Every structure is written in structure tokens, then in C-alpha cells.
Amino acid sequence: EDQVTQSPEALRLQEGESSSLNCSYTVSGLRGLFWYRQDPGKGPEFLFTLYSAGEEKEKERLKATLTKKESFLHITAPKPEDSATYLCAVLISGGYNKLIFGAGTRLAVHP
Amino acid sequence: DGGITQSPKYLFRKEGQNVTLSCEQNLNHDAMYWYRQDPGQGLRLIYYSQIVNDFQKGDIAEGYSVSREKKESFPLTVTSAQKNPTAFYLCASSVSPPAGEGYGYTFGSGTRLTVV
């Protein structure tokens, strides 16, 4: 069964304390892995797409990496405005663009 | 600006009542989706549509219905058969078939449905 697991469920950081979020997946026919940011009461906002093992992408304090079994979202020197839920999703082979989502990691960054 | 508009933002449903959630996009995307989000769970697919006048059940379609009469619109009806409808509902769209970097989903801002 295709599955996406994110860890930890929740993470509390002090401002400036770098850390990583994990997204592990067990799917057949990975076509891409997506990271989204979701603020409370809002829809997810696209951050990155990764397509192949070894690929890395960066945006401000965020860096996403991909291996054959998992992806990491590294947060360097986070600020309180980085507080949000971060969702990972994988696009799998099939008849349509099916995204399978993990449950997300709730990140809280305190000053 | 192109995007997806969901309305209303908040919706209250009485027992035994059908309600319809609106989703409109002006991104010229062929594919549209409805997801349900519950606390501590990943987004779960309710219905999807790859083209006008065609739609398919997702993983949790029971108690829901949709229509796709126009490319821009994909309304979701939560029927009285859905026993636990309280949740956050998200509509999304994408290009179809996938083409290059841009075939991730674009999401609306969501509708929070509560049974009263």
C-alpha cells in the first residue's frame, strides 16, 4: 500500500535553532515529491518539488532534499514566522495526478 | 491574479441537510480535486475530475457528490448520508496530464464545515 509518513508530528524550536523534518515514503512509481506549508485555517502553499534522488532545492531558510526512501526539509536559523504545518506529498504513477499526503509536521518557533 | 476561490469559508449544517461547497478556478487547469482534512490526518481524496463532464471517486467518496459542468467550477455536495461531515475541505487544481515543473496542485483557502 502506498504510504507517506512524516516525523515528528510536532516540533518546537527556539528562534535560530536549526532542525530537520522528515518525510519517508513507500510507494510504487514515484513521479515527484512535494513540500507544502499550511497556516492555520488556510490552504496549503506550494514550496518545492523534487523529482530524483540526490536533488536539492532551497528557498530562504528552507532546503529540501530527496533520497530513494525519504525527503528532509531542513530549516536553518528559523524565525517565528516559519511556524506552520509542513506537509509532504508524493505523486505516484497512475491514471491521473494522484498526490498522497502525509499527516504533516506542526512547527512552532518561539522567540 | 489566477487562483482558486472556495466559498463559503465557514458553513454550518444541520442533521439531515445537504450542503454544497463552491470551488472556482481561473488557472485554466483541466484537473480539479476535493480533499478532506481532519486533525492529525493527512489530506484524503474525496473526488477528482480530469476533464469537464467527467469525475471519479477518490478514497472516501461515500456521502459526497460532485459535478463538473464547466472547466472553472467543481462544486462538492455533502449529503445527509455522510455521517461525520465536520472537517476542513480543500479544493485543488492542476494541469493534466503532467507537464514539467508546474504539475503540483494549487489549493484554495478551504471551507470549514461544522454539523450543528
Side-chain angles (χ1 to χ4, degrees), chain B residues 29-76:
Chain B
H29 284 167
D30 288 310
M32 297 187 74
Y33 315 83
W34 274 105
Y35 281 87
R36 170 180 171 142
Q37 187 174 35
D38 295 282
Q41 297 190 41
L43 276 66
R44 292 183 290 167
L45 182 65
I46 304 172
Y47 267 96
Y48 67 97
S49 169
Q50 296 186 85
I51 196 169
V52 174
N53 292 322
D54 184 59
F55 49 83
Q56 305 296 328
K57 292 181 179 180
D59 300 319
I60 56 165
E62 185 175 351
Y64 300 97
S65 66
V66 294
S67 63
R68 187 85 187 275
E69 297 177 0
K70 298 187 299 181
K71 186 175 183 178
E72 301 79 16
S73 179
F74 191 41
L76 173 74

Side-chain angles (χ1 to χ4, degrees), chain A residues 31-32 34 36 38 41-44 46 49 51 57 87 91 95-103, chain B residues 9 33 35 37 40 42-43 45 48 50 59 88 90 94-95 98 100-101 103-105 107-109:
Chain A
R31 292 167 61 191
F34 296 78
Y36 289 86
Q38 186 177 23
K42 296 188 177 181
F46 171 76
T49 309
Y51 295 101
K57 288 192 178 175
L87 300 174
L91 183 69
Y96 69 103
N97 295 346
K98 182 174 182 178
L99 277 182
I100 300 176
F101 284 84
Chain B
K9 188 172 179 64
Y33 315 83
Y35 281 87
Q37 187 174 35
L43 276 66
L45 182 65
Y48 67 97
Q50 296 186 85
D59 300 319
F88 190 53
L90 287 161
S94 73
V95 298
E101 176 73 18
Y103 62 90
Y105 291 7
F107 284 89
S109 56

Side-chain angles (χ1 to χ4, degrees), chain B residues 14-33:
Chain B
K14 295 181 180 179
E15 296 285 349
Q17 188 179 46
N18 292 355
V19 292
T20 297
L21 284 60
S22 172
C23 178
E24 303 278 334
Q25 56 100 357
N26 60 3
L27 298 166
N28 201 33
H29 284 167
D30 288 310
M32 297 187 74
Y33 315 83

Side-chain angles (χ1 to χ4, degrees), chain A residues 39-54:
Chain A
D39 292 303
K42 296 188 177 181
E45 177 185 335
F46 171 76
L47 291 173
F48 304 109
T49 309
L50 302 165
Y51 295 101
S52 57

